[in-house]
């Protein structure tokens, strides 16, 4: 399981939420150009640095969701998933 931060809009207000995702259900990760542009244009007011990037995660339908926008570049998310794969072996 990996912990991510998602961004959602409710009405006119943007919110950040911590979510925990099973990486086995992630099918694609790509840059969310729409959200990146909106942040740079000042349309997303949640106190993030304008250099923050967002990614769109597509999940397997079995998880109950289709797509989630999260904070971080696709490369950052890939690194996070790689770290999650490392496990200590007890001998």
């Amino acid at each position: 399981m990996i912990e991510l931060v998602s961004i959602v809009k409710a009405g006119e207000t943007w919110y950040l939420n911590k979510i925990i995702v099973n990486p086995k259900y992630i099918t694609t990760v790509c840059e969310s150009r729409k959200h990146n542009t909106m942040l740079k244009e000042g349309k997303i007011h949640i106190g993030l640095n304008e250099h923050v990037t967002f990614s769109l995660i597509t999940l397997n339908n079995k998880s109950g969701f289709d797509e989630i926008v999260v904070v971080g570049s696709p490369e950052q998310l890939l690194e996070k998933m790689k770290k999650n794969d490392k496990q200590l072996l007890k001998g």
Side-chain angles (χ1 to χ4, degrees):
M1 303 294 264
I2 57 173
E3 184 177 298
L4 302 173
V5 177
S6 71
I7 180 170
V8 292
K9 185 175 183 182
E12 296 298 316
T13 307
W14 289 93
Y15 295 97
L16 294 175
N17 296 312
K18 284 186 182 180
I19 60 171
I20 297 175
V21 176
N22 185 338
K24 292 179 183 180
Y25 290 110
I26 296 174
T27 56
T28 61
V29 178
C30 63
E31 179 183 0
S32 179
R33 291 184 180 150
K34 173 185 167 186
H35 289 84
N36 291 336
T37 301
M38 288 177 18
L39 180 66
K40 288 180 180 153
E41 291 175 350
K43 295 179 180 176
I44 297 177
H45 304 285
I46 49 178
L48 292 175
N49 182 313
E50 69 178 36
H51 299 292
V52 168
T53 57
F54 298 103
S55 294
L56 180 66
I57 295 178
T58 304
L59 300 168
N60 187 330
N61 288 334
K62 292 179 184 178
S63 66
F65 297 99
D66 289 328
E67 296 179 332
I68 301 173
V69 178
V70 297
V71 176
S73 68
E75 293 81 14
Q76 290 170 325
L77 298 178
L78 180 61
E79 283 300 315
K80 205 168 203 180
M81 286 187 278
K82 283 182 182 178
K83 287 181 186 177
N84 187 57
D85 282 343
K86 296 179 183 176
Q87 297 178 0
L88 294 176
L89 298 176
K90 296 182 180 181

